[in-house]
């Protein structure tokens, strides 16, 4: 008897859609915004980036994710650790509560070569992909 062994779905390669696929994504709804989004971001950074020496603050990371600030080596390392460790729920908090636009989050994920299945799956649900 021949048995076909398929890897668990999380072990299959997943690819973030091209940046153009995110061009029509609407901004996050403002009614979900937290009054202190940098505090929420600081919690996520604290959880996913523990041990990074002199890591940036939640406000700095949020500005970087939104595209309002330039990064450096420590910023990139911090955001890479954050995005590679976050769950789909964490990604939803970044988008809705912290008001990070999906297209900018996808751009950062691509630039930092993020391979996190949960984050890529979360982002790809917003992509507009032409029918084949």
């Amino acid at each position: 008897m021949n048995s076909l062994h398929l890897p668990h779905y999380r072990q299959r390669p997943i690819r973030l859609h091209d940046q153009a696929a995110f061009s029509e994504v609407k901004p996050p709804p403002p009614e979900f915004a937290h009054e202190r989004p940098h505090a929420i971001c600081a919690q996520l950074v604290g959880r996913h980036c523990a041990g990074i020496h002199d890591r940036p603050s939640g406000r700095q990371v949020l500005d970087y994710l939104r595209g309002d600030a330039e990064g450096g080596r420590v910023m990139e390392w911090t955001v890479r650790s954050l995005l590679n460790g976050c769950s789909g729920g964490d990604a939803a908090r970044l988008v809705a509560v912290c008001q990070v636009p999906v297209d900018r989050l996808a751009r950062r994920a691509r630039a930092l070569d993020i391979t996190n299945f949960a984050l890529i799956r979360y982002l790809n649900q917003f992509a507009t992909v032409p029918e084949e």
Side-chain angles (χ1 to χ4, degrees), residues 56 64 69-80 108 112:
Y64 178 74
E70 292 298 316
R73 188 170 163 217
V74 175
M75 177 64 79
E76 289 178 0
W77 183 261
T78 301
V79 173
R80 186 177 288 118
R108 289 293 185 206
L112 297 171

Side-chain angles (χ1 to χ4, degrees), residues 44 47-48 81-91 94 116 118-119:
L44 294 172
R47 188 170 72 225
H48 294 294
S81 297
L82 169 66
L83 296 182
N84 267 326
C86 76
S87 65
D90 292 339
L94 286 171
N116 178 351
L119 178 69

Side-chain angles (χ1 to χ4, degrees), residues 2-6:
N2 234 350
S3 67
L4 180 63
H5 174 72
L6 293 174

